[in-house]
Structures are given as C-alpha cells and as structure tokens.
Amino acid sequence: MAEAAPADMSRLLRIESTEIRALDAARGRLRIVGLTLALSFAILGLRAVELAVTSPAHAATPRPVASEPMRGDLFDRTGQVLATTLQTYSLFADPTLVWDASEAAQSLSTVLPDLDVEAVTRELSSHRRFVWIQRNLTPRQRQAVFSLGLPGLDFRIEPRRIYPRGRLAAHVVGYTDRDMNGLAGAERSFDAALSSSDGRPVALSIDMGVQFHLDEVLRTTMAEYRALAASGIVMNVRTGEIVGMVSLPDFDPNRPNDASSDERLNRSAQSVYEMGSTFKAFTVAMALEAGTATLESGYDATEPLQIGGYTIHDYHGENRWLTLSEIFIHSSNIGSSRIALEVGAEAQREFLGRMRLLERAPIELAESADPLLPRNWGPTETATISYGHGLAVSPIATIAAFAAIANGGIYVAPTLQPVAADETIVGERVLDAQAAQDVMTLMRENVTDGTGGRAEAPGYLVAGKTGTAEKPSRGGYDRNRLISSFSAVFPYNDPQYAILVLLDEPQGTAATHGYATGGWTAAPAVSAIVSRIAPILGVERSNADHSERAAMVRAALMPEPIP
C-alpha cells in the first residue's frame, strides 16, 4: 500500500509556485525598465552628439549674401578706409534646449567676461525659442564658446561696422546701429547710398593727413590752456570741400554707446557760439559794400558807447578817433558798433542773411545747427552783433562765410563730398569783389600789425581775425568764461583755404601773461596747423628759394654715393 504524502507538502508546492511566478514578473518589469532607461540614455546621447557636432557645423554655414547686401565703405579723398563692414558671428540660444540655465551662463562668462550672468540666466530660463546672448563676437570668442560644447547655443552670421581710424574724424564719419542704420555723421548723411543694393563705396572730402595734424594741434592746445572743448575746421574756399573737421572731446565710433552725449556732440556743426570780434570782418565788409564807409572813414572811439541802457567798452581802448582800418586792426567794439549803427539794423540783417549766417550751414551733416537769433533786432542788437554778441552761429557757418570773403565774394556751400578737378563749381555772389579784397587786406594787416600776430605761419601769408566772446550767464555775460577763436585764410595773395580754431573756456597761462583771448590761445594753434598742412595741400611757401628747393629734390632723388 502506497505511503500518503504529508498534508503540508501540497501547500508548500503551491507557495513555491507563487514565489516563482512573482520573481518572474519582477524580472520582466526590471527588463522593461532597463530597456526604457537604456533607450532614453541612447536618445539623449544621440541628441548631445547632434548638438555638439551638427549645430556648430550648421552655424558655420554663412547666410546667402544676396539676402543682406553689404553696406558700402567710406573713404577719405586719398583712398584711406574710414569705415568698412566685416562679417561676424553673433551668439544666440534656444532656452528650451538648454539643460541648466545658471550653469550655462556661468560657463559662458568664463570666455565672454563682459557677459551679465544674471541677465543671461533669466533669458535662458525663459520659455522662448530665441534669445540673443552676445552679438558680433570675435573669431577667438566664437571658438572659445564653441569649445564649451553647451547645448541649445548657436551662431548667426551678422555684419559689423568697423572704423579703422578710431577717434580720428569720428564726428565726420559718424556711426551706425547694430542693424547698419546710419545714426550720425557721414554714415547718416549718405545712408541711402551706403545701404543701396550694390553697397557702393562713398568718398569724403576729408584728407586724413590734414585731419591728423588738425587733431593733434587741437588736442595739445586744449590741454595747454585747460579748455573744456575745442573745434577746428579746414575748408577749400573755391570748392567748399571740408578737408579737416575736429571736435573735442571725441569718441571711438567702434564703441559709440560707451561715449557720453557731450563726447558725441559735433561742436563744429552742432554747437552754436557767440563768435566775438570775428564778426567785425562781416561788419566792415557790410559797410564797405553799402558805401557808408571807406577804409579811411573815421569813428569816435574816445569814450565808451552808451546804448539801450548798456555800455560798450573796448578791451584795450585807444581812446581816440579811429579809421575803419584801425577799428579792425585794434578790434574796437566801440568803433564796430558805430559802423553798424550807421548802416542800420535792416541792412545788417539782410547782409548776414546773404552770408548764410542766419540759417543752418548748408552742409550734408544732419547735425548742422540753426543759429540763435535775437528776438528783437533794434539798435542795441545791431551794435552788439557788430562785434559778435547777441547772435550765436555754428563754426561751420562762420568759416563758410569767411571762405566767401576769401573767394572774392562768391559763397560756395561747404560740402563733405570731394570735387573733381574738372568739375564746375556753382557759387553765389554775396559780396562785392572790391569789398571782399579790402577785407582780405585788413585781415592780413591784422596778422602783421594787429591782434592776430601769433597766427603768422612763415611763408604762408596768413590773413585772419581774432574772436573773443564772453559766455552768457544769468543776468548778463561772464568775463571769466570765454569763447576764444581765430578765423583765417591762407595764403593771402592767392586764397585757397580757410581755417577756424575755437576754444571753449581756455585758461590763461604764465606764457600768455594770464590772457585767454583768441589772439593768445587760438591764433598760435592756427599758425602751427597752417605750417603743418600747407605742404600736404600743395600750398607753396611765398618766400621759397626755388634753387634751394631744386637742390633738395636732387639730393633726395639722386643722393651722392657714400665714399
């Protein structure tokens, strides 16, 4: 008889069978989880490889140039590049693909030190699909970012405007925004031509050789007399071409946003000043043309002139009757006032209007400023305007009017565009030719025998007029704050160029015996500038020994052999 199995054996077998089934189920689930994790990591790995390898290759592919025409270059009259455009890489991100915004921003800051880490972290934490990180990276910066291998980053090719000469001629050249729109200077004035579909270059009338010396002398002069600011212009009197224009302080057009509004201000065109005794040249010209005076006409300058409740004095009074010539040479405010009052307010206003001194200078610069005119133009204003107070004009308007005198009374509008040698210049007669010549003679005498003696540049026959104006202040004028200038033409016997130098609040020195007037501060600067730029402009010295010069040329071209 077979022996029966124990009663608990079947129960044990059932328990073991249940445990086996549970273990099998657990193993199955683990396999599924393992496969899922492996697949997930595989996908992430492939995506990382794609971001690290594929995206930079895609970023290195330039956009078609045809879709974004290159902005044209700016050149000076000799062919030197003043502004050009380079293709650069700009860094952007898709925040949805960035793994860790804070870590990515910190990593980027190690290769882009100017990066605002907090701002970039906020941008990378957003849910947008596109944010700028930093634009116009250098090739070295782009490579450094690329080497970080951060996901979600990419590059876009963008143009960047480059100014190789930096601060030199910054106010003339101007600058653009990031989108290549001209904002100032020639960049703005010729924006349409520069941004045309063919991106053609634009040449300017500026000569960078002249610009360099004008800039250097003005910087030295401004520092020597501790002036707040300075302005200088050189203009061809026959063509109107501006061959040099400086405004100080200045800025670097490669980084215009780093400059203050004061540094970006073009004082040669955008600022207006009461020009002081410079205006006596216009007063004398007006009287000579009107026929109310001759060079020998006499005027009473024995005592200060009382008019409209004001007293007009002379800076260094002669205290006697003065001829018109003496009034100009000694810069008599009293005499100039009497000359203007004799002509009359209406005639004065009409004459200054003809000289384009009552309107913005007609130059291409959008910054060219309107003058500040008196509300009423009565006898008092007629007297003060005769010596450059009560009417504020820009330096470019002033020098253009001086150029008209030097050009035999023909006004040619100032321009930043070069004029071809065979091009016909259209000017307008604004002054009688004889009156213009008489004023030129007086301006030459002012340098040889008057207040402008320090402007003389040996061999170049400088003619000009000093200008010293007290700056307006509450309740009148401040005699301790001056606008000092010198307006000149050279050479006197064959006028070719006009030049203006202006200093804002220069301070006297021991060398000037404490004086800060135009004759002591601006005139020497004109002398230095003329001596430097005349050879560049092809102006020959009037007293040159031609045989000596020929010998110098022979020595330069055919040097004697060294024994």
Side-chain angles (χ1 to χ4, degrees):
M1 183 175 179
E3 187 176 347
D8 58 351
M9 179 63 70
S10 61
R11 182 165 58 86
L12 179 61
L13 293 172
R14 286 195 300 273
I15 291 173
E16 290 178 350
S17 178
T18 302
E19 289 176 348
I20 290 170
R21 286 198 299 273
L23 287 172
D24 290 340
R27 289 190 184 97
R29 286 194 294 271
L30 286 173
R31 291 191 187 96
I32 293 172
V33 171
L35 289 172
T36 302
L37 290 174
L39 182 61
S40 298
F41 279 114
I43 293 172
L44 289 174
L46 289 173
R47 180 58 177 159
V49 170
E50 180 184 4
L51 290 173
V53 177
T54 308
S55 293
H58 169 71
T61 303
R63 287 181 165 186
V65 176
S67 64
E68 292 185 8
M70 292 281 283
R71 186 176 179 86
D73 292 346
L74 280 170
F75 296 90
D76 83 332
R77 66 187 304 113
T78 67
Q80 293 191 45
V81 177
L82 305 180
T84 190
T85 304
L86 299 180
Q87 294 285 19
T88 63
Y89 287 94
S90 291
L91 177 64
F92 69 91
D94 180 348
T96 64
L97 301 178
V98 175
W99 294 352
D100 187 317
S102 177
E103 182 180 346
Q106 289 289 347
S107 297
L108 287 171
S109 69
T110 63
V111 296
L112 303 175
D114 295 334
L115 204 68
D116 186 333
V117 175
E118 292 184 3
V120 171
T121 301
R122 287 194 299 270
E123 293 282 8
L124 295 180
S125 300
S126 69
H127 297 290
R128 290 183 291 168
R129 297 302 305 272
F130 181 94
V131 294
W132 283 117
I133 302 300
Q134 187 164 312
R135 301 174 77 174
N136 303 131
L137 271 62
T138 66
R140 182 172 296 178
Q141 288 175 321
R142 174 184 174 273
Q143 183 59 44
V145 172
F146 174 72
S147 298
L148 294 175
L150 297 173
L153 303 182
D154 208 338
F155 298 94
R156 176 176 293 180
I157 292 178
E158 286 192 310
R160 180 181 181 182
R161 202 64 167 164
I162 301 296
Y163 302 94
R165 303 307 299 270
R167 293 175 178 271
L168 194 59
H171 292 94
V172 177
V173 176
Y175 54 92
T176 67
D177 61 14
R178 288 190 181 275
D179 297 318
M180 297 288 108
N181 300 307
L183 297 183
E187 291 278 31
R188 179 178 178 183
S189 302
F190 305 108
D191 187 63
L194 292 167
S195 58
S196 61
S197 59
D198 57 355
R200 64 180 181 271
V202 172
L204 301 181
S205 58
I206 296 294
D207 184 310
M208 292 306 282
V210 172
Q211 185 75 13
F212 172 81
H213 291 293
L214 181 62
D215 183 281
E216 187 171 69
V217 172
L218 277 183
R219 286 184 192 277
T220 302
T221 302
M222 182 176 163
E224 180 179 359
Y225 300 112
R226 306 187 305 282
L228 298 180
S231 171
I233 305 172
V234 179
M235 174 179 171
N236 187 312
V237 304
R238 299 168 184 170
T239 66
E241 295 167 290
I242 302 299
V243 294
M245 178 184 285
V246 172
S247 175
L248 299 175
D250 57 5
F251 67 100
D252 184 352
N254 292 294
R255 303 177 67 90
N257 293 330
D258 291 348
S260 66
S261 58
D262 185 61
E263 291 169 330
R264 291 194 298 268
L265 178 68
N266 184 353
R267 288 169 169 80
S268 293
Q270 203 168 356
S271 296
V272 293
Y273 304 93
E274 296 184 27
M275 295 298 297
S277 295
T278 294
F279 261 54
K280 289 170 184 168
F282 307 133
T283 299
V284 168
M286 172 183 67
L288 291 172
E289 183 183 59
T292 59
T294 67
L295 294 176
E296 299 305 320
S297 296
Y299 295 87
D300 185 6
T302 56
E303 295 179 354
L305 176 63
Q306 304 291 331
I307 185 170
Y310 297 93
T311 303
I312 296 174
H313 300 270
D314 282 342
Y315 190 66
H316 289 297
E318 294 290 312
N319 302 318
R320 60 183 176 85
W321 277 72
L322 299 173
T323 65
L324 183 141
S325 298
E326 291 175 324
I327 288 171
F328 190 85
I329 293 172
H330 296 298
S331 201
S332 169
N333 294 339
I334 299 170
S336 183
S337 298
R338 293 193 183 279
I339 292 171
L341 289 169
E342 192 172 64
V343 176
E346 288 302 318
Q348 183 188 53
R349 187 164 190 163
E350 187 275 333
F351 177 81
L352 295 178
R354 265 190 283 146
M355 303 297 287
R356 303 291 189 273
L357 291 168
L358 304 184
E359 61 188 67
R360 66 179 295 275
I363 191 172
E364 295 87 353
L365 290 173
E367 297 90 334
S368 181
D370 290 315
L372 295 179
L373 309 179
R375 294 181 180 178
N376 301 308
W377 203 308
T380 302
E381 290 75 24
T382 300
T384 59
I385 288 172
S386 75
Y387 56 89
H389 283 75
L391 173 66
V393 300
S394 66
I396 185 64
T398 303
I399 200 59
F402 261 84
I405 295 175
N407 196 32
I410 304 296
Y411 184 95
V412 178
T415 180
L416 286 176
Q417 296 179 284
V419 176
D422 58 350
E423 187 173 343
T424 300
I425 307 300
V426 178
E428 178 185 357
R429 179 161 293 284
V430 294
L431 177 63
D432 174 74
Q434 185 57 54
Q437 182 56 52
D438 288 342
V439 175
M440 282 294 298
T441 300
L442 291 177
M443 289 199 295
R444 177 58 186 161
E445 291 178 1
N446 185 56
V447 173
T448 58
D449 303 313
T451 58
R454 293 173 183 81
E456 182 68 291
Y460 296 114
L461 302 180
V462 176
K465 184 69 185 79
T466 52
T468 306
E470 297 173 358
K471 295 180 73 170
S473 62
R474 182 173 299 179
Y477 288 87
D478 187 342
R479 63 174 53 198
N480 295 316
R481 299 169 59 236
L482 304 178
I483 296 295
S484 299
S485 65
F486 195 87
S487 300
V489 175
F490 71 97
Y492 158 72
N493 60 345
D494 181 25
Q496 297 180 45
Y497 293 93
I499 178 171
L500 182 148
V501 167
L502 180 147
L503 300 173
D504 188 346
E505 293 191 29
Q507 306 299 311
T509 66
T512 67
H513 308 287
Y515 293 116
T517 57
W520 284 98
T521 58
V526 168
S527 173
I529 293 166
V530 170
S531 296
R532 290 186 181 202
I533 69 173
I536 297 174
L537 295 172
V539 179
E540 294 193 6
R541 294 170 60 95
S542 63
N543 60 349
D545 185 332
H546 295 287
S547 61
E548 180 181 347
R549 292 186 58 196
M552 292 174 62
V553 170
R554 285 195 301 272
L557 298 178
M558 296 177 293
E560 296 182 4
I562 299 176

